[in-house]
């Protein structure tokens, strides 16, 4: 257990529905990252925050995706109008000055 | 383009045998280098990292890796594999800036024969 908590761990939804994932970081870590991992691939960077500011977004993050980190604490990743191609593991990681600590991920299955 | 290549999708070794997992990267400058391990249903755990200095780095669980600048490689090694080492291993590179954004390879799945 790295101390990074993600919920829900699994989500099954129908195409077109909206889903939201939550990440609770290690409390003193000011940087928070979202990655997406599809089957058989390594994680791909989506976005990251320093405190409440979203500093960078990947081209993978289409306009159906939105991430927030109010008050620089927990973060949410929302996917609107889900598509089957969104099926993946969504990983959250946090960092202070050293290494990244990853949560166990939220697995999304879009039917 | 920045990329990480792990040429072996699967590797099978016998318990007690030595292990080497290959990693090559393409990057504009020398990046930070990492190896992570992921067990089924689990998040990623950092095995070791290279930032600077000695090119042979030691990590947890008896793993080590060697950075070779001339070959743009960062191969992971272990002298004697244990059955509990069966997992997926990811090599990653990170920008030497404040973002610490990582680019991962596609992973190598390690199977351990009893």
């Amino acid at each position: 257990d790295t101390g990074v908590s993600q919920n829900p761990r699994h989500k099954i939804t129908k195409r077109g529905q909206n889903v939201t994932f939550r990440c609770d970081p290690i409390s003193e870590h000011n940087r928070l990252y979202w990655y997406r991992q599809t089957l058989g691939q390594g994680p791909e960077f989506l976005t990251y925050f320093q405190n409440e500011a979203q500093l960078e977004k990947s081209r993978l993050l289409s306009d159906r995706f939105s991430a927030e980190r109010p008050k620089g604490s927990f973060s949410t990743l929302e996917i609107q109008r889900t598509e089957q191609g969104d099926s993946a593991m969504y990983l959250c990681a946090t960092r202070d000055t050293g290494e990244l600590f990853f949560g166990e991920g939220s697995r999304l299955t879009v039917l | 383009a920045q990329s990480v290549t792990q040429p072996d999708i699967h590797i099978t070794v016998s318990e007690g045998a030595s292990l080497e997992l290959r990693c090559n990267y393409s990057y504009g400058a020398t990046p930070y280098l990492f190896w992570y391990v992921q067990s089924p249903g689990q998040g990623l755990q950092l095995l070791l990292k290279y930032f600077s200095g000695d090119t042979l780095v030691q990590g947890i669980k008896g793993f080590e890796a060697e950075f070779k600048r001339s070959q743009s490689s960062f191969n992971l090694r272990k002298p004697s594999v244990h059955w509990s080492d069966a997992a997926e291993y990811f090599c990653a590179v990170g920008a030497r800036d404040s973002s610490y954004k990582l680019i991962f390879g596609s992973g190598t799945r390690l199977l351990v024969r009893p």
Side-chain angles (χ1 to χ4, degrees):
Chain A
D1 183 3
T2 62
V4 180
S5 177
Q6 292 190 244
N7 290 286
R9 294 292 309 281
H10 298 94
K11 178 72 176 178
I12 300 173
T13 190
K14 293 183 179 179
R15 188 176 54 186
Q17 299 295 303
N18 299 342
V19 297
T20 299
F21 300 114
R22 176 177 169 128
C23 173
D24 286 276
I26 297 170
S27 60
E28 63 270 24
H29 287 189
N30 59 9
R31 294 213 170 199
L32 186 147
Y33 301 75
W34 285 99
Y35 284 80
R36 182 175 70 185
Q37 184 178 20
T38 53
L39 204 61
Q41 298 298 316
E44 297 171 292
F45 170 79
L46 292 179
T47 187
Y48 87 99
F49 294 83
Q50 179 165 320
N51 299 315
E52 67 276 8
Q54 189 173 17
L55 297 186
E56 186 173 344
K57 293 193 291 186
S58 162
R59 291 173 299 173
L60 294 174
L61 216 62
S62 75
D63 56 6
R64 296 185 297 104
F65 288 70
S66 62
E68 295 181 342
R69 193 183 183 196
K71 302 179 183 178
S73 56
F74 70 92
S75 176
T76 58
L77 177 69
E78 181 184 14
I79 309 173
Q80 296 181 325
R81 304 181 304 280
T82 53
E83 301 173 357
Q84 288 184 324
D86 298 331
S87 295
M89 176 79 85
Y90 291 86
L91 295 166
C92 174
T94 68
R95 172 187 171 231
D96 185 11
T97 57
E99 67 179 86
L100 284 180
F101 291 87
F102 283 86
E104 294 184 341
S106 293
R107 180 170 295 284
L108 173 65
T109 301
V110 181
L111 302 176
Chain B
Q2 301 165 350
S3 65
V4 177
T5 301
Q6 294 181 247
D8 303 305
I9 298 174
H10 298 100
I11 282 187
T12 301
V13 299
S14 298
E15 191 169 15
S18 63
L19 171 71
E20 182 169 24
L21 302 182
R22 295 182 291 164
C23 172
N24 292 92
Y25 65 89
S26 173
Y27 208 83
T30 301
Y32 295 143
L33 297 158
F34 307 84
W35 275 98
Y36 284 86
V37 61
Q38 186 177 38
S39 298
Q42 302 297 311
L44 294 156
Q45 182 183 21
L46 180 67
L47 287 175
L48 47 78
K49 60 183 182 283
Y50 172 78
F51 285 0
S52 64
D54 192 346
T55 57
L56 184 64
V57 294
Q58 302 297 319
I60 62 171
K61 304 184 181 186
F63 285 93
E64 67 177 27
E66 186 172 13
F67 168 55
K68 293 186 177 180
R69 185 190 306 273
S70 61
Q71 298 176 20
S72 297
S73 69
F74 189 56
N75 294 349
L76 182 71
R77 300 193 293 250
K78 186 169 184 178
S80 178
V81 169
H82 188 263
W83 64 266
S84 61
D85 293 325
E88 185 113 29
Y89 292 79
F90 293 96
C91 179
V93 300
R96 285 184 177 266
D97 60 25
S98 59
S99 76
Y100 215 75
K101 185 175 61 177
L102 300 186
I103 300 171
F104 286 84
S106 55
T108 297
R109 179 165 296 280
L110 174 65
L111 303 173
V112 180
R113 281 192 297 256

